[in-house]
Amino acid sequence: MASPFYFVLGALSYPLVKGPMRLHAKGLENLPRGGYVLSANHVSNFDPWPLGLPLWPRRQLRFMAKVELFRSPLWPILKAGGAFSVRRGEGDEEAMRTAIELARDGEVVAMFPEGTRREKGLVKKFEARPHTGAARVALAAGVPLVPAAIGGTDNLTRLGPLRVAYGSPVELDDLRDQEPREAARVATERLMNSIGELERGL
């Protein structure tokens, strides 16, 4: 169940995102009941809203947020909203342990394998190699890794339509006995293929 702050934030956002921005979600039946890692493409700072609102108010997304934001006036809002800090580019093991524990405890941990927002119009072959963190968390926590695709957030001035699609969990069972680094690499490759398919279907 969402925290009181997350519930209020969702209640304030929902009319705008579902109304003028015309959020449409599909694939909700693919979302597991317990803890899992939800992993999507990343094109805008607004991505958490269409990614999380279809789950509201039943489930709350737990996001990693760069540690610099926790040193800004935004930190009380971030903390109340369930975010936890990560030192980007440093392989923050503490943040990874937190994400693993949250997923094991039944939370929905949202992660963007692309790391940072895509540059508008960037051709896929020129994008940076995706991070394996989402796969590592899912494998270590023993929870599903669920792909998602978001569309429409890169041009909010047009007020939508916003779209999100949730896919079936990535197959991980055959990877759990493999060497962790290789297992995470293969799982991430499968994840990105699934996200790509979902994007093409938006």
Side-chain angles (χ1 to χ4, degrees), residues 71-86:
R71 298 171 184 150
S72 75
L74 292 174
W75 76 264
I77 297 174
L78 290 167
K79 188 172 182 180
F84 56 100
S85 66
V86 59

Side-chain angles (χ1 to χ4, degrees), residues 35-36 97 99-107 109 137 139-143:
Y36 58 94
R97 283 193 296 270
I100 291 167
E101 290 171 6
L102 288 170
R104 282 177 177 163
D105 289 344
E107 301 277 3
V109 178
V137 171
L139 287 163
V143 301

Side-chain angles (χ1 to χ4, degrees), residues 60-129:
Q60 174 176 353
L61 301 189
R62 303 298 300 271
F63 283 96
M64 287 186 181
K66 59 183 180 180
V67 70
E68 291 83 2
L69 291 175
F70 283 85
R71 298 171 184 150
S72 75
L74 292 174
W75 76 264
I77 297 174
L78 290 167
K79 188 172 182 180
F84 56 100
S85 66
V86 59
R87 294 187 297 273
R88 291 199 308 185
E90 298 182 27
D92 191 343
E93 292 303 317
E94 183 178 350
M96 293 295 290
R97 283 193 296 270
T98 298
I100 291 167
E101 290 171 6
L102 288 170
R104 282 177 177 163
D105 289 344
E107 301 277 3
V108 181
V109 178
M111 300 178 71
F112 298 109
E114 292 168 327
T116 58
R117 291 168 292 136
R118 293 181 191 169
E119 293 295 334
K120 192 170 182 179
L122 191 64
V123 178
K124 196 170 187 62
K125 68 179 180 180
F126 293 116
E127 292 170 12
R129 178 183 296 180

Side-chain angles (χ1 to χ4, degrees), residues 175-196:
L175 302 177
R176 298 194 186 278
D177 294 329
Q178 291 191 19
E179 188 274 325
R181 186 184 297 272
E182 177 63 12
R185 184 193 66 79
V186 174
T188 300
E189 185 175 293
R190 294 175 183 177
L191 172 67
M192 298 309 294
N193 287 336
S194 295
I195 291 174

